[in-house]
Amino acid sequence: MARRQALLLLLAAACALHGVIATPEEPATPEATLEAEVPPAVATPAAKDRQFRSGAETRPFQAEVSRMMDIIIHSLYSNKDIFLRELISNAADALDKIRFLAITDKSQLGEGDASKLEIRLSVDKDKKMISIRDRGVGMTKEELVNNLGTIARSGTSAFLEQMQKGGDLNLIGQFGVGFYSVYLVADYVEVVTKHNDDKQYIWESKADGSYAISEDAEGEPLGRGTQINIYLKDTAMEYLSEDKLKELVQRYSEFINFPILMLETRTESKEVPVEGEDAAEEKPAEEQSEQEKQKAEEAKEGETVEVDDEDEEEEKKPKTKTVTETITEWKALNDNQALWLRPPGNVSDEEYAKFYKALSKREWEEPLAHTHFKAEGDVEFKAVMFVPPTAPQDLYDNYYGKKPSVKLYVRRVFISDSFEDLLPKWLSFLVGLVDSDTMPLNVSREMLQLHEGLKVIKKKLVRKAIDMIKKLADAEVKAQKEAEEKKEEEAKEEEAGEEKKKAEEAAQAYGKFYSAFGKSLKMGIIEDTSNRRRLLPLLRFYSSKSPDKLASLADYVGRMKEGQKHIYYLVGGSKDEVASSPFVEALEEKGYEVLYMTDPLDEYVMQNVQEFEDKEFANVSKEDLKLAGKDEDEKKREKKQKEEFKPLAKWWQEALGSGAVGAVKVSKRLASTPCVVVSSKYGWSATMERIARSQTLGDNERAKWMRGQRSLEINPRHPLIKEMKAQHEANPESPELKEHAALLFQTCMLESGFVLDDQKDFNTRVFRLLAKDMKVEDLNVPREEPGAEDAEEEAEEEGPPKAVEGSAEAADADAEPAAAAEGVKVQEITLDSAGGTEEVKIEL
């Protein structure tokens, strides 16, 4: 029996050996899989049942570490993704350390694969495990105990204190507890590490209050560095997805200085030549065509067979088959370089554009401008900021809820993009990055936001952002001047056309920016008191002398008349509305330029600024408008007109009542309009009143108080005003005069942009005026009698009742038309008698 079993075993071994040798010669099917050689990736974990190795030295965690891990594991933590960021950050620190040591001692770095400073990431779905390997400095046994078993100099104490106060767990990455974040997703962790000065050790823990350390004598030698094997919880299986890990690396660690490689597996189908017996194998008889069968028979009989050229060519072509190949390779995940670490002069515009696309995730557009700088002092940091060409759709719909688009990094590790105090709200449209090597992050969110270093960063970022926008504006001005100078010159070379194109692009860049982000600049003037003077030159407006092209305040000042002390402006709903307003008539007639402000924000802007380059702003819709350049004759004429119209003005004010206007004055600003209503100097303008009325939660009582007293200004040269003056002198108590005065006031209220408090009263006056013009004596509508018209309409629709042929009714019906034709009137009268009613027809 034993001999028989031995013989069977020997036979099986021979068959197996024969199978191995014969495998390459066997025909491969289209579904055959070829496994590519995988480079050495990570050390194979020895733990299969997630239990401590036998013989390992077991130790308890320090009490505070156990408390901290208990908080992490059992808390309702909403962002588990940061575990990968923390582990990659630790790996990068280890690589930095060995690189530093290698500067003085090259032997520390080693040779071959050991000298490659990189981080490798792989997934084992069968074991539900993620591995992270670095070729950094590694840890000795003592360092394993100090760094992973005790608090040492980490920020764990600050973290625990913050947790006891009810802190935000989403900021775990801002404390020195990065490694322990692995327990957000793992229930068992192995740390395999090798230091140049020590043996290879394994640290393992299930986060149950203890850990174990043992010498690794069985695993694959690391050479140098650390590998972390993360055995995932059942609730964290999503991290076995390669796409998920790629996303996390690109979000948090894309600018790490060292390559981050991930082991990827993919399948490809390709054609391979058929070799050996497969190439010479004949087709089965049933698969051969009739022509092939005939040629085969003739060849067997020794007859000559003619071979077509096509058949000969087919025989020359090598036979192929389709195989599916499994390819496993390491792929770099962080191909974006930390551009901000390089000097600005060594970075091209193309590189800045590529970096902007990586930051903004907008592959289809390039930035309008950028700034790249390094700040030194108490807080050192590097920053790159970009101006996008278009505004996000929700930029102004959710202005105060919009988060800034500037990311905060510390030593090239992404920390947060939600620090609202990093930039003011009005600059939230910027896209950028700040990287600090000195910012303290082992404090709570509240302390970080109030930290003096963050205030310094914010102040410098704002200054640099304004300078960047100012360069855009200066480039526009420069391009416009050069274009004007070259208008008369003709381009003699081809390069001149390219220069002209660049000049046009530079001239249009700021206009494009202002169209997208002009409101942000105005919000900056309203909110940022310390930078108002820097922002004012960046504003642009249409004006009476520049109706089709936006002009700056500097342009306005350069065109001011001699002796002019004010910058005149008017706020309205549209450019056409402001241009046709009666408030600007006299100013344009006298050659003064008026700025057209058509944005509702302009009202708030002008409430916060008083002057520009020592020139005061003057709203032409407010009282006390001052015009320079009057001669003595003009002053005497105005004084005379005031005296002439003083009785009419006093009567008109009394007729309207004190609640309507505070005063009636002779106007200096009107040319062709009979009168206007102006606001008091510190009261709301007409546009501001409309804005206040449209507020959902507005206070009407407060609005009445804020609008102040209005004044009615009359044009003494207008025919209507002259006629009113004549009628007032003839009969001041005339009802018609009062009617005309009220209607003219209400009409001027509307033309001045105000909303009438009693719209019905105005409509009634207009109807009376129309009735008088159309000679309608009575506007009362006669009352309609119910049922009368309805009965007539029904009689017309239904007609008279049809009579039976041959009856008396039919005879009467025939007689009525004849009588009517002869001019005889027939009337029916119903008589009551004792026996009932009787109808009698009487001819009249």
Side-chain angles (χ1 to χ4, degrees):
M1 187 70 178
R3 288 183 63 188
R4 186 178 179 182
Q5 289 178 348
L7 185 60
L8 288 172
L9 288 173
L10 184 61
L11 182 61
C15 293
L17 182 61
H18 175 74
V20 171
I21 295 173
T23 298
E25 300 178 1
E26 292 180 358
T29 61
E31 290 80 17
T33 300
L34 302 177
E35 292 190 2
E37 182 180 354
V38 181
V42 291
T44 305
K48 297 180 181 179
D49 53 359
R50 305 191 183 189
Q51 298 295 326
F52 291 166
R53 288 165 173 76
S54 59
E57 180 184 351
T58 304
R59 298 187 181 190
F61 278 113
Q62 192 179 35
E64 290 188 348
V65 176
S66 296
R67 285 170 51 210
M68 182 271 303
M69 286 197 295
D70 184 67
I71 291 173
I72 292 176
I73 296 169
H74 298 100
S75 64
L76 297 176
Y77 195 82
S78 62
N79 186 16
K80 298 178 181 179
D81 296 346
I82 59 94
F83 84 93
L84 189 61
R85 176 191 72 182
E86 297 303 316
L87 297 181
I88 291 178
S89 176
N90 290 343
D93 289 342
L95 291 170
D96 269 328
K97 289 177 183 178
I98 194 63
R99 185 168 60 179
F100 178 76
L101 293 174
I103 294 174
T104 56
D105 184 3
K106 293 185 178 180
S107 64
Q108 292 281 341
L109 193 60
E111 298 178 353
D113 290 340
S115 63
K116 296 178 180 178
L117 300 182
E118 59 190 13
I119 301 169
R120 294 197 170 192
L121 179 64
S122 64
V123 174
D124 190 330
K125 295 185 178 180
D126 295 334
K127 297 175 182 176
K128 301 178 181 178
M129 183 192 73
I130 301 173
S131 293
I132 300 175
R133 163 108 177 250
D134 68 74
R135 301 183 189 276
V137 69
M139 288 181 281
T140 63
K141 181 178 180 181
E142 183 181 357
E143 289 171 339
L144 276 176
V145 174
N146 291 335
N147 294 342
L148 303 185
T150 61
I151 287 181
R153 289 179 295 276
S154 72
T156 313
S157 295
F159 175 74
L160 289 173
E161 291 174 6
Q162 185 61 21
M163 291 306 99
Q164 291 171 354
K165 297 176 183 177
D168 185 2
L169 280 171
N170 287 317
L171 292 180
I172 184 173
Q174 297 176 11
F175 298 87
V177 292
F179 169 76
Y180 304 113
S181 64
V182 71
Y183 289 104
L184 293 168
V185 298
D187 53 13
Y188 182 76
V189 176
E190 288 179 328
V191 179
V192 185
T193 185
K194 173 67 172 70
H195 192 278
N196 284 335
D197 299 334
D198 207 342
K199 300 177 182 179
Q200 183 166 314
Y201 288 94
I202 296 178
W203 180 99
E204 50 190 331
S205 176
K206 293 184 287 186
D208 56 356
S210 63
Y211 62 93
I213 297 179
S214 60
E215 183 179 339
D216 186 10
E218 300 178 359
E220 178 189 337
L222 294 180
R224 187 196 65 251
T226 301
Q227 174 180 311
I228 302 175
N229 299 321
I230 307 164
Y231 293 84
L232 297 174
K233 301 176 182 177
D234 292 337
T235 57
M237 291 297 117
E238 60 181 305
Y239 297 103
L240 289 176
S241 168
E242 293 179 358
D243 292 337
K244 175 70 174 178
L245 297 180
K246 285 181 190 175
E247 179 205 343
L248 296 183
V249 171
Q250 290 172 357
R251 172 173 171 77
Y252 292 107
S253 309
E254 63 177 331
F255 299 115
I256 291 290
N257 277 346
F258 304 98
I260 302 175
L261 307 177
M262 185 170 183
L263 190 63
E264 289 189 353
T265 302
R266 69 179 190 276
T267 58
E268 288 185 358
S269 298
K270 65 178 184 179
E271 296 290 326
V272 297
V274 179
E275 298 177 356
E277 295 180 1
D278 292 341
E281 185 178 4
E282 294 183 1
K283 292 183 181 179
E286 60 271 13
E287 294 184 10
Q288 292 180 351
S289 64
E290 292 296 328
Q291 186 178 2
E292 290 174 340
K293 288 179 181 179
Q294 183 179 357
K295 289 180 180 179
E297 290 295 331
E298 292 175 353
K300 288 179 182 179
E301 295 174 0
E303 297 181 8
T304 304
V305 180
E306 295 182 1
V307 180
D308 296 336
D309 294 339
E310 293 181 1
D311 295 339
E312 190 175 349
E313 289 179 3
E314 289 181 2
E315 289 179 2
K316 290 181 180 179
K317 290 181 180 178
K319 295 185 177 181
T320 61
K321 57 184 177 181
T322 302
V323 296
T324 302
E325 183 178 5
T326 300
I327 300 175
T328 305
E329 63 181 356
W330 293 98
K331 186 175 181 181
L333 301 182
N334 60 332
D335 56 348
N336 291 317
Q337 298 179 353
L339 174 144
W340 64 90
L341 299 179
R342 294 159 56 186
N346 295 343
V347 185
S348 65
D349 291 340
E350 290 76 14
E351 289 175 309
Y352 280 121
K354 181 181 177 182
F355 187 67
Y356 165 77
K357 293 175 182 179
L359 274 181
S360 64
K361 310 304 180 187
R362 301 178 187 176
E363 297 292 335
W364 61 89
E365 64 183 21
E366 294 190 359
L368 286 178
H370 67 267
T371 181
H372 179 190
F373 64 95
K374 178 182 179 181
E376 297 179 347
D378 296 336
V379 179
E380 294 185 1
F381 68 94
K382 303 175 184 69
V384 180
M385 291 189 295
F386 299 91
V387 175
T390 56
Q393 292 183 352
D394 61 341
L395 178 60
Y396 301 117
D397 295 338
N398 188 27
Y399 176 77
Y400 289 103
K402 182 73 175 175
K403 292 183 179 180
S405 299
V406 175
K407 299 179 180 180
L408 176 62
Y409 283 69
V410 173
R411 293 180 291 278
R412 291 154 309 280
V413 177
F414 174 70
I415 299 301
S416 178
D417 57 0
S418 59
F419 281 118
E420 298 182 2
D421 286 347
L422 198 59
L423 273 181
K425 287 291 182 184
W426 66 273
L427 282 175
S428 60
F429 63 88
L430 294 179
V431 175
L433 177 149
V434 177
D435 184 10
S436 174
D437 291 335
T438 58
M439 277 294 292
L441 295 177
N442 58 341
V443 288
S444 67
R445 174 190 285 268
E446 290 78 13
M447 292 178 65
L448 181 60
Q449 289 178 328
L450 296 175
H451 191 271
E452 194 64 30
L454 197 63
K455 295 180 181 178
V456 173
I457 292 177
K458 179 179 179 179
K459 186 176 181 180
K460 290 184 178 180
L461 287 179
V462 173
R463 291 286 180 89
K464 287 292 184 179
I466 295 176
D467 290 343
M468 172 174 56
I469 298 170
K470 186 176 182 297
K471 285 181 181 178
L472 265 182
D474 293 343
E476 176 196 44
V477 174
K478 182 180 178 181
Q480 289 175 353
K481 288 182 178 179
E482 291 178 354
E484 290 175 0
E485 292 174 357
K486 293 181 179 180
K487 266 184 180 180
E488 300 176 357
E489 299 179 5
E490 293 182 0
K492 297 181 180 180
E493 299 179 0
E494 293 182 0
E495 295 180 0
E498 295 179 2
E499 292 177 1
K500 184 179 180 182
K501 184 178 180 181
K502 290 181 180 179
E504 289 176 354
E505 290 177 355
Q508 295 171 0
Y510 189 73
K512 191 174 182 180
F513 164 80
Y514 195 80
S515 175
F517 306 108
K519 289 181 182 292
S520 294
L521 294 182
K522 293 173 183 179
M523 291 301 297
I525 291 176
I526 296 169
E527 298 173 349
D528 195 345
T529 56
S530 60
N531 288 301
R532 279 177 185 164
R533 289 186 177 275
R534 296 183 180 89
L535 293 176
L536 271 176
L538 302 176
L539 297 182
R540 297 290 184 269
F541 304 99
Y542 293 106
S543 72
S544 55
K545 291 187 178 180
S546 180
D548 301 320
K549 183 180 177 182
L550 289 170
S552 66
L553 295 175
D555 294 335
Y556 181 98
V557 173
R559 294 192 290 257
M560 286 177 65
K561 292 182 64 176
E562 185 178 353
Q564 183 179 344
K565 298 180 180 180
H566 295 84
I567 299 174
Y568 300 113
Y569 71 92
L570 180 62
V571 184
S574 66
K575 186 172 64 173
D576 293 336
E577 176 189 329
V578 177
S580 60
S581 173
F583 292 110
V584 302
E585 292 175 352
L587 282 88
E588 291 183 0
E589 193 177 72
K590 295 179 181 180
Y592 292 103
E593 185 175 6
V594 181
L595 295 176
Y596 299 162
M597 298 188 178
T598 57
D599 190 338
L601 276 177
D602 293 335
E603 277 284 354
Y604 298 94
V605 170
M606 302 316 296
Q607 289 176 11
N608 289 277
V609 295
Q610 283 75 40
E611 62 181 23
F612 175 77
E613 294 184 3
D614 298 328
K615 306 293 183 181
E616 292 185 5
F617 288 98
N619 190 338
V620 298
S621 68
K622 297 289 185 77
E623 63 182 4
D624 296 333
L625 179 66
K626 296 178 181 178
L627 300 178
K630 294 182 181 179
D631 54 20
E632 292 298 324
D633 293 338
E634 189 174 356
K635 291 179 180 179
K636 290 180 180 179
R637 185 167 59 252
E638 287 182 0
K639 186 176 181 181
K640 182 180 179 182
Q641 288 173 344
K642 286 181 181 179
E643 291 297 327
E644 289 181 2
F645 285 86
K646 188 174 182 179
L648 175 64
K650 185 178 179 181
W651 170 86
W652 204 337
Q653 180 180 353
E654 293 176 353
L656 295 175
S658 58
V661 292
V664 178
K665 305 175 182 177
V666 174
S667 179
K668 300 173 287 186
R669 71 185 89 208
L670 296 177
S672 59
T673 304
C675 57
V676 291
V677 178
V678 298
S679 305
S680 60
K681 186 175 182 180
Y682 299 105
W684 280 350
S685 65
T687 306
M688 192 65 202
E689 279 195 33
R690 291 201 301 270
I691 294 172
R693 282 174 179 267
S694 63
Q695 300 300 317
T696 305
L697 302 177
D699 187 349
N700 292 331
E701 293 300 323
R702 179 177 176 272
K704 289 180 181 179
W705 178 75
M706 287 297 295
R707 73 186 185 188
Q709 284 287 341
R710 300 165 179 157
S711 297
L712 175 64
E713 292 191 1
I714 58 177
N715 184 358
R717 297 178 296 164
H718 199 277
L720 286 177
I721 302 301
K722 290 181 177 179
E723 180 60 25
M724 285 196 65
K725 177 176 176 293
Q727 290 185 11
H728 173 261
E729 292 173 352
N731 185 9
E733 299 300 326
S734 170
E736 290 185 357
L737 182 61
K738 290 184 178 180
E739 176 78 4
H740 295 159
L743 183 58
L744 190 55
F745 167 73
Q746 290 175 330
T747 305
C748 291
M749 278 273 290
L750 293 174
E751 191 171 11
S752 301
F754 293 97
V755 179
L756 296 176
D757 294 329
D758 191 350
Q759 186 71 38
K760 180 66 176 176
D761 180 63
F762 170 72
N763 295 340
T764 303
R765 295 180 189 276
V766 172
F767 294 152
R768 287 203 295 262
L769 182 63
L770 287 172
K772 183 177 180 181
D773 185 65
M774 298 170 69
K775 298 179 180 180
V776 177
E777 297 180 358
D778 189 3
L779 288 176
N780 293 322
V781 179
R783 189 172 182 181
E784 183 178 339
E785 294 294 334
E789 293 185 0
D790 294 342
E792 293 178 3
E793 291 177 1
E794 290 178 4
E796 290 177 359
E797 292 176 0
E798 297 177 2
K802 294 182 179 180
V804 181
E805 187 175 353
S807 64
E809 290 84 354
D812 293 339
D814 293 338
E816 284 181 9
E822 297 174 0
V824 180
K825 293 183 180 180
V826 179
Q827 184 173 1
E828 295 183 0
I829 301 176
T830 302
L831 302 177
D832 293 329
S833 62
T837 60
E838 182 180 358
E839 293 183 357
V840 180
K841 290 185 174 59
I842 302 175
E843 294 182 1
L844 301 178

